[in-house]
Amino acid sequence: MDQTARYEEEEKEEASVQNAAALAPKLIYEVIRREGEEEMARPKRSLLWSGIAAGVMISLSVLGEAIFRTYLPDAPSSYLIENLGYSLGFLAVIMGRMQLFTENTITTVLPVMVERTWYAFGCMLRLWGIVMTANVIGAFAVAALFVFTPAIPAEIMVSVVDLSHHATGMGADASFWRAIPAGIIVALIVWMLPQADSAKFFLILVFTWLIAAGDFTHIVAGSVEMAVLVWMGDITAATAIGGFFIPVLAGNIIGGTVIFTLMAWGQVRDELPDK
């Protein structure tokens, strides 16, 4: 083998090694940071409609779980299978690239931690406000479809209501603490996606199943359940906001931002160039 051929072979081997190697934490951080910058630069109208779509489509988590609960036999193992239905909405939203508030507790925070300016912080809060509002609008819209039309079969609607009462009936304290693991799990999904490639489907499926199986609380999926009960008159707006929405929102933010994002930042901060 001549020197040129040997050099080309070495280049191919090096390329194979690079392709097989896992992304370093600082590269994952950079991928998510750039994605966050792109999201914060998007027009308000785009964020609004994407957030509304996410609020509507996350209802598939409630609907999927309700369908399994309705038709699975009454057995202890059915609980674990039933919670696979919870993953459906997250699969649709995340793989469909829609704006889900809990993804932004890490995606849009990383640029702020790099820039460390009031402008970047303001852009993050602007996006959070738009996306959270849009998610809730979508959740209430699809819940109205469930409650006021025969779109959902009566036997499945019974399970939707049961799930909704369970999700919103834990009390503010329990809802808050159970929201923290959910926030961490969603942030972990975002962190793992850049190197998941063809495994993205199973990554989202397994970890969002864990949210349901662990009986953790998620602000957007839970908003659909909360909206169902509000439209039905089973809970008041004050109870919905004070007993569920605010505690879960706070817990998801603490889990996704204060805990996971700070840990992610800590493991790469010394490897990043100074701004």
Side-chain angles (χ1 to χ4, degrees):
M1 182 182 295
D2 59 33
Q3 187 172 355
T4 301
R6 184 179 295 109
Y7 178 74
E8 291 176 352
E9 185 65 25
E10 289 175 353
E11 280 192 327
K12 290 180 181 179
E13 290 177 355
E14 179 62 23
S16 297
V17 171
Q18 293 293 333
N19 290 333
L23 288 176
K26 67 177 182 180
L27 296 180
I28 297 175
Y29 188 100
E30 183 64 15
V31 169
I32 299 173
R33 184 191 68 79
R34 292 184 183 184
E35 182 179 341
E37 288 183 341
E38 291 175 1
E39 295 296 339
M40 287 193 290
R42 291 182 67 187
K44 293 178 182 179
R45 186 179 299 179
S46 298
L47 293 173
L48 180 65
W49 283 109
S50 182
I52 291 173
V56 171
M57 298 309 297
I58 202 70
S59 67
L60 294 177
S61 289
V62 180
L63 187 58
E65 193 173 357
I67 291 171
F68 276 121
R69 172 171 290 200
T70 301
Y71 297 112
L72 281 173
D74 187 11
S77 59
S78 295
Y79 174 78
L80 298 177
I81 301 172
E82 167 188 313
N83 286 310
L84 285 171
Y86 189 79
S87 299
L88 297 179
F90 288 90
L91 283 165
V93 170
I94 296 174
M95 297 193 75
R97 305 288 294 171
M98 301 170 197
Q99 286 288 342
L100 187 67
F101 175 79
T102 45
E103 286 188 89
N104 287 304
T105 57
I106 177 172
T107 303
T108 55
V109 173
L110 297 189
V112 175
M113 298 181 77
V114 172
E115 296 293 337
R116 283 170 278 183
T117 64
W118 285 111
Y119 176 76
F121 184 70
C123 288
M124 182 195 75
L125 291 182
R126 162 186 165 273
L127 185 143
W128 278 17
I130 293 171
V131 171
M132 187 72 262
T133 300
N135 286 169
V136 172
I137 291 172
F140 268 83
V142 76
L145 177 70
F146 288 1
V147 173
F148 298 120
T149 76
I152 307 301
E155 61 273 18
I156 296 176
M157 193 61 196
V158 170
S159 295
V160 169
V161 174
D162 286 344
L163 289 168
S164 300
H165 277 292
H166 175 75
T168 60
M170 297 180 185
D173 188 61
S175 295
F176 168 75
W177 289 109
R178 292 193 187 188
I180 293 175
I184 294 173
I185 291 169
V186 174
L188 177 61
I189 292 171
V190 175
W191 185 262
M192 291 189 292
L193 281 176
Q195 59 180 351
D197 295 327
S198 59
K200 288 181 180 179
F201 176 90
F202 296 101
L203 171 67
I204 299 167
L205 178 73
V206 170
F207 281 93
T208 52
W209 169 85
L210 183 61
I211 294 175
D215 208 13
F216 304 131
T217 49
H218 184 271
I219 187 59
V220 186
S223 289
V224 176
E225 295 164 319
M226 176 187 74
V228 166
L229 298 184
V230 170
W231 286 130
M232 293 180 65
D234 286 9
I235 60 173
T236 65
T239 300
I241 294 171
F244 178 79
F245 188 84
I246 292 176
V248 175
L249 177 63
N252 283 170
I253 291 173
I254 289 173
T257 297
V258 178
I259 296 178
F260 188 89
T261 305
L262 286 180
M263 290 192 299
W265 166 254
Q267 68 172 319
V268 301
R269 62 178 300 178
D270 294 332
E271 303 174 64
L272 298 174
D274 293 332
K275 287 286 184 178

